[in-house]
Short mmCIF file of all heavy atoms in Angstrom, two decimals:
data_model
loop_
_atom_site.label_atom_id
_atom_site.label_comp_id
_atom_site.label_asym_id
_atom_site.label_seq_id
_atom_site.Cartn_x
_atom_site.Cartn_y
_atom_site.Cartn_z
N TRP W 1 13.00 -49.22 -40.30
CA TRP W 1 14.29 -49.37 -39.64
C TRP W 1 15.44 -49.14 -40.61
O TRP W 1 15.25 -49.07 -41.82
CB TRP W 1 14.40 -50.75 -38.98
CG TRP W 1 14.35 -51.92 -39.93
CD1 TRP W 1 13.24 -52.45 -40.53
CD2 TRP W 1 15.46 -52.70 -40.40
NE1 TRP W 1 13.58 -53.49 -41.33
CE2 TRP W 1 14.93 -53.67 -41.26
CE3 TRP W 1 16.82 -52.67 -40.15
CZ2 TRP W 1 15.74 -54.62 -41.89
CZ3 TRP W 1 17.62 -53.59 -40.78
CH2 TRP W 1 17.08 -54.57 -41.63
N CYS W 2 16.63 -48.99 -40.03
CA CYS W 2 17.83 -48.78 -40.85
C CYS W 2 19.06 -49.29 -40.09
O CYS W 2 19.01 -49.47 -38.88
CB CYS W 2 18.01 -47.31 -41.22
SG CYS W 2 18.50 -46.26 -39.83
N ASN W 3 20.11 -49.50 -40.83
CA ASN W 3 21.42 -49.78 -40.27
C ASN W 3 22.14 -48.43 -40.21
O ASN W 3 22.65 -47.96 -41.22
CB ASN W 3 22.21 -50.75 -41.13
CG ASN W 3 21.55 -52.10 -41.25
OD1 ASN W 3 20.92 -52.57 -40.31
ND2 ASN W 3 21.67 -52.75 -42.38
N ALA W 4 22.15 -47.82 -39.04
CA ALA W 4 22.73 -46.48 -38.88
C ALA W 4 24.19 -46.57 -38.51
O ALA W 4 24.56 -47.34 -37.64
CB ALA W 4 21.96 -45.71 -37.82
N ARG W 5 25.01 -45.78 -39.19
CA ARG W 5 26.40 -45.67 -38.76
C ARG W 5 26.37 -45.07 -37.35
O ARG W 5 25.57 -44.17 -37.07
CB ARG W 5 27.21 -44.78 -39.69
CG ARG W 5 27.47 -45.44 -41.03
CD ARG W 5 28.38 -44.61 -41.87
NE ARG W 5 28.54 -45.25 -43.18
CZ ARG W 5 29.30 -44.78 -44.13
NH1 ARG W 5 30.00 -43.67 -43.96
NH2 ARG W 5 29.41 -45.40 -45.28
N LYS W 6 27.23 -45.58 -36.48
CA LYS W 6 27.21 -45.13 -35.08
C LYS W 6 27.34 -43.61 -34.96
O LYS W 6 26.72 -43.00 -34.10
CB LYS W 6 28.34 -45.82 -34.29
CG LYS W 6 28.07 -47.26 -33.99
CD LYS W 6 27.82 -47.48 -32.55
CE LYS W 6 27.52 -48.94 -32.35
NZ LYS W 6 27.66 -49.42 -31.03
N ASN W 7 28.12 -43.00 -35.85
CA ASN W 7 28.31 -41.56 -35.75
C ASN W 7 27.10 -40.78 -36.26
O ASN W 7 27.07 -39.55 -36.18
CB ASN W 7 29.57 -41.12 -36.49
CG ASN W 7 29.52 -41.36 -37.98
OD1 ASN W 7 28.82 -42.25 -38.46
ND2 ASN W 7 30.27 -40.57 -38.72
N LYS W 8 26.06 -41.44 -36.76
CA LYS W 8 24.85 -40.78 -37.24
C LYS W 8 23.62 -41.06 -36.38
O LYS W 8 22.52 -40.65 -36.71
CB LYS W 8 24.55 -41.22 -38.69
CG LYS W 8 25.64 -40.84 -39.67
CD LYS W 8 25.78 -39.36 -39.82
CE LYS W 8 26.80 -38.98 -40.87
NZ LYS W 8 27.02 -37.54 -40.96
N VAL W 9 23.82 -41.73 -35.26
CA VAL W 9 22.70 -42.12 -34.38
C VAL W 9 21.89 -40.89 -33.97
O VAL W 9 20.65 -40.91 -34.02
CB VAL W 9 23.21 -42.91 -33.16
CG1 VAL W 9 22.15 -43.01 -32.06
CG2 VAL W 9 23.65 -44.31 -33.59
N ASN W 10 22.54 -39.84 -33.55
CA ASN W 10 21.81 -38.64 -33.09
C ASN W 10 21.00 -38.01 -34.22
O ASN W 10 19.93 -37.46 -33.98
CB ASN W 10 22.76 -37.62 -32.46
CG ASN W 10 23.24 -38.09 -31.10
OD1 ASN W 10 22.56 -38.86 -30.42
ND2 ASN W 10 24.42 -37.66 -30.71
N PHE W 11 21.51 -38.08 -35.44
CA PHE W 11 20.74 -37.58 -36.58
C PHE W 11 19.42 -38.32 -36.70
O PHE W 11 18.36 -37.70 -36.80
CB PHE W 11 21.57 -37.75 -37.88
CG PHE W 11 20.79 -37.42 -39.13
CD1 PHE W 11 20.61 -36.09 -39.51
CD2 PHE W 11 20.26 -38.43 -39.92
CE1 PHE W 11 19.89 -35.79 -40.66
CE2 PHE W 11 19.56 -38.14 -41.07
CZ PHE W 11 19.37 -36.81 -41.46
N TYR W 12 19.45 -39.65 -36.63
CA TYR W 12 18.23 -40.44 -36.79
C TYR W 12 17.28 -40.29 -35.59
O TYR W 12 16.06 -40.38 -35.74
CB TYR W 12 18.58 -41.91 -37.04
CG TYR W 12 19.22 -42.11 -38.38
CD1 TYR W 12 20.53 -42.56 -38.49
CD2 TYR W 12 18.53 -41.84 -39.56
CE1 TYR W 12 21.11 -42.73 -39.73
CE2 TYR W 12 19.11 -42.00 -40.80
CZ TYR W 12 20.41 -42.47 -40.87
OH TYR W 12 20.99 -42.62 -42.10
N LYS W 13 17.84 -40.03 -34.41
CA LYS W 13 17.00 -39.81 -33.25
C LYS W 13 16.08 -38.59 -33.43
O LYS W 13 14.97 -38.57 -32.92
CB LYS W 13 17.85 -39.63 -31.98
CG LYS W 13 18.41 -40.93 -31.45
CD LYS W 13 19.19 -40.69 -30.17
CE LYS W 13 19.67 -42.01 -29.59
NZ LYS W 13 20.46 -41.78 -28.35
N LYS W 14 16.53 -37.60 -34.19
CA LYS W 14 15.72 -36.40 -34.46
C LYS W 14 14.44 -36.75 -35.21
O LYS W 14 13.47 -36.00 -35.20
CB LYS W 14 16.50 -35.37 -35.28
CG LYS W 14 17.66 -34.74 -34.54
CD LYS W 14 18.28 -33.60 -35.31
CE LYS W 14 18.94 -34.08 -36.57
NZ LYS W 14 19.68 -33.01 -37.30
N PHE W 15 14.40 -37.92 -35.85
CA PHE W 15 13.24 -38.35 -36.62
C PHE W 15 12.41 -39.39 -35.87
O PHE W 15 11.53 -40.01 -36.44
CB PHE W 15 13.69 -38.89 -37.98
CG PHE W 15 14.42 -37.86 -38.79
CD1 PHE W 15 15.78 -37.73 -38.68
CD2 PHE W 15 13.73 -36.97 -39.60
CE1 PHE W 15 16.46 -36.74 -39.40
CE2 PHE W 15 14.38 -35.98 -40.31
CZ PHE W 15 15.76 -35.88 -40.19
N GLY W 16 12.77 -39.62 -34.62
CA GLY W 16 12.01 -40.55 -33.79
C GLY W 16 12.49 -41.99 -33.84
O GLY W 16 11.87 -42.87 -33.26
N LEU W 17 13.60 -42.24 -34.54
CA LEU W 17 14.13 -43.60 -34.57
C LEU W 17 14.86 -43.86 -33.26
O LEU W 17 15.47 -42.96 -32.67
CB LEU W 17 15.08 -43.82 -35.75
CG LEU W 17 14.37 -44.11 -37.07
CD1 LEU W 17 14.09 -42.82 -37.83
CD2 LEU W 17 15.18 -45.05 -37.92
N GLN W 18 14.76 -45.11 -32.79
CA GLN W 18 15.38 -45.49 -31.53
C GLN W 18 16.38 -46.61 -31.77
O GLN W 18 16.18 -47.46 -32.65
CB GLN W 18 14.33 -45.94 -30.54
CG GLN W 18 13.34 -44.85 -30.18
CD GLN W 18 12.26 -45.32 -29.23
OE1 GLN W 18 12.02 -46.52 -29.08
NE2 GLN W 18 11.59 -44.37 -28.59
N GLU W 19 17.42 -46.60 -30.97
CA GLU W 19 18.44 -47.65 -31.07
C GLU W 19 17.87 -48.97 -30.60
O GLU W 19 17.09 -49.03 -29.64
CB GLU W 19 19.64 -47.30 -30.20
CG GLU W 19 20.37 -46.05 -30.61
CD GLU W 19 21.48 -45.68 -29.65
OE1 GLU W 19 22.42 -46.49 -29.49
OE2 GLU W 19 21.39 -44.58 -29.06
N THR W 20 18.23 -50.04 -31.30
CA THR W 20 17.91 -51.39 -30.83
C THR W 20 19.16 -51.95 -30.16
O THR W 20 20.17 -51.25 -30.03
CB THR W 20 17.49 -52.30 -31.99
OG1 THR W 20 18.63 -52.51 -32.84
CG2 THR W 20 16.35 -51.70 -32.79
N HIS W 21 19.12 -53.18 -29.76
CA HIS W 21 20.28 -53.81 -29.13
C HIS W 21 21.14 -54.54 -30.16
O HIS W 21 22.09 -55.25 -29.80
CB HIS W 21 19.83 -54.78 -28.04
CG HIS W 21 19.11 -54.09 -26.92
ND1 HIS W 21 19.74 -53.24 -26.05
CD2 HIS W 21 17.80 -54.08 -26.57
CE1 HIS W 21 18.86 -52.75 -25.19
NE2 HIS W 21 17.67 -53.24 -25.46
N SER W 22 20.84 -54.36 -31.45
CA SER W 22 21.59 -55.04 -32.50
C SER W 22 22.58 -54.08 -33.16
O SER W 22 22.22 -52.97 -33.55
CB SER W 22 20.64 -55.56 -33.58
OG SER W 22 19.73 -56.48 -33.00
N SER W 23 23.81 -54.55 -33.27
CA SER W 23 24.84 -53.75 -33.92
C SER W 23 25.81 -54.68 -34.65
O SER W 23 25.81 -55.89 -34.41
CB SER W 23 25.59 -52.90 -32.90
OG SER W 23 26.23 -53.72 -31.94
N PHE W 24 26.59 -54.10 -35.54
CA PHE W 24 27.57 -54.89 -36.29
C PHE W 24 28.62 -53.97 -36.87
O PHE W 24 28.50 -52.73 -36.84
CB PHE W 24 26.89 -55.70 -37.40
CG PHE W 24 26.18 -54.87 -38.43
CD1 PHE W 24 26.81 -54.48 -39.61
CD2 PHE W 24 24.86 -54.45 -38.24
CE1 PHE W 24 26.16 -53.73 -40.55
CE2 PHE W 24 24.20 -53.69 -39.18
CZ PHE W 24 24.85 -53.32 -40.35
N ILE W 25 29.68 -54.56 -37.39
CA ILE W 25 30.76 -53.82 -38.03
C ILE W 25 30.87 -54.33 -39.46
O ILE W 25 30.88 -55.55 -39.71
CB ILE W 25 32.10 -53.99 -37.28
CG1 ILE W 25 31.98 -53.37 -35.89
CG2 ILE W 25 33.25 -53.35 -38.07
CD1 ILE W 25 33.16 -53.62 -34.99
N LYS W 26 30.94 -53.38 -40.42
CA LYS W 26 31.11 -53.74 -41.82
C LYS W 26 32.14 -52.77 -42.42
O LYS W 26 32.01 -51.56 -42.23
CB LYS W 26 29.78 -53.65 -42.58
CG LYS W 26 29.88 -53.99 -44.05
CD LYS W 26 28.56 -53.81 -44.76
CE LYS W 26 28.76 -54.06 -46.24
NZ LYS W 26 27.56 -53.73 -47.01
N GLU W 27 33.09 -53.33 -43.12
CA GLU W 27 34.11 -52.49 -43.77
C GLU W 27 34.77 -51.55 -42.77
O GLU W 27 35.10 -50.41 -43.10
CB GLU W 27 33.51 -51.70 -44.93
CG GLU W 27 32.94 -52.53 -46.05
CD GLU W 27 34.00 -53.06 -47.00
OE1 GLU W 27 35.03 -52.40 -47.18
OE2 GLU W 27 33.78 -54.14 -47.57
N GLY W 28 34.93 -52.01 -41.53
CA GLY W 28 35.58 -51.21 -40.50
C GLY W 28 34.71 -50.11 -39.91
O GLY W 28 35.17 -49.33 -39.08
N LYS W 29 33.43 -50.06 -40.28
CA LYS W 29 32.52 -49.05 -39.76
C LYS W 29 31.51 -49.70 -38.83
O LYS W 29 31.00 -50.78 -39.12
CB LYS W 29 31.79 -48.33 -40.90
CG LYS W 29 32.71 -47.53 -41.82
CD LYS W 29 31.94 -46.86 -42.91
CE LYS W 29 32.73 -46.20 -43.99
NZ LYS W 29 34.00 -45.64 -43.73
#
């Protein structure tokens, strides 16, 4: 697993990673 920046979600999907229901904001990202 990883903490993916929201704008990189589609990049990680290409490798078979799926979004979970957990999200957060750090340093405004």
Side-chain angles (χ1 to χ4, degrees):
W1 62 283
C2 71
N3 297 326
R5 288 186 184 182
K6 286 250 179 161
N7 65 333
K8 298 294 184 185
V9 165
N10 287 333
F11 172 79
Y12 292 116
K13 283 182 176 180
K14 292 188 294 186
F15 300 90
L17 279 91
Q18 298 177 342
E19 297 175 61
T20 67
H21 297 291
S22 300
S23 61
F24 62 94
I25 295 173
K26 180 183 175 188
E27 298 280 330
K29 296 180 188 328

